[in-house]
Amino acid sequence: MDMSTIQICKDFSDAPGGRYEKEGEHSGEEFREKVLYPQIKDLVDHKDHNDKVTINFDGCYGFGTSFLEEAFGGLVRKYHIIGLMKYIEIESKEDETIPGLVEKYILEAERRLGHA
C-alpha cells in the first residue's frame, strides 16, 4: 500500500484559520484547494482504494470546527467524492477528537448528497 503524508503544520500552516479564504489566511477552503484536493484527486481518479493519504494534524496551534468542516465536508460537497474515508488516514496524537470530527463532517456531507 502506497501512502503519502500531509503534515498540516509543515505543508500548510501551524496556525490554521477559519472556513473561507475571504475571512483570512490559512482557511479550510485554502487547505482543501491547495493541499488536500490535489492529493486526493489522484487517488479518486485512479480508483485505487489501496492507496491512502495520511493527514497529520500534530504540531499546530489548534483547529476550528469551521476549518475542519470546510476542508473535509467541503471536499465531498464540491467534488462529489463519495467514500472519502477510504482514501484518507487521520493522525492526531495531540487532539484525539480530530479524527472523529473529520469523519463526522465527511459522512454528513455524503448524507446531504444522498449517499449515506
Side-chain angles (χ1 to χ4, degrees), residues 1-68:
M1 176 183 335
D2 289 340
M3 206 179 265
S4 59
T5 299
I6 297 169
Q7 287 188 281
I8 296 175
C9 71
K10 291 179 182 170
D11 299 327
F12 183 64
S13 173
D14 64 355
R19 180 179 293 272
Y20 300 117
E21 287 185 78
K22 67 184 178 191
E23 297 171 341
E25 294 184 324
H26 313 302
S27 67
E29 179 183 32
E30 180 183 358
F31 173 71
R32 178 189 72 222
E33 295 303 317
K34 293 183 178 171
V35 180
L36 185 60
Y37 180 64
Q39 291 277 333
I40 298 297
K41 182 182 182 325
D42 286 342
L43 297 180
V44 173
D45 286 351
H46 295 100
K47 305 259 189 269
D48 190 346
H49 301 297
N50 292 320
D51 287 353
K52 291 188 182 248
V53 174
T54 298
I55 304 152
N56 185 291
F57 287 81
D58 294 334
C60 294
Y61 291 105
F63 293 87
T65 54
S66 60
F67 176 95
L68 296 172

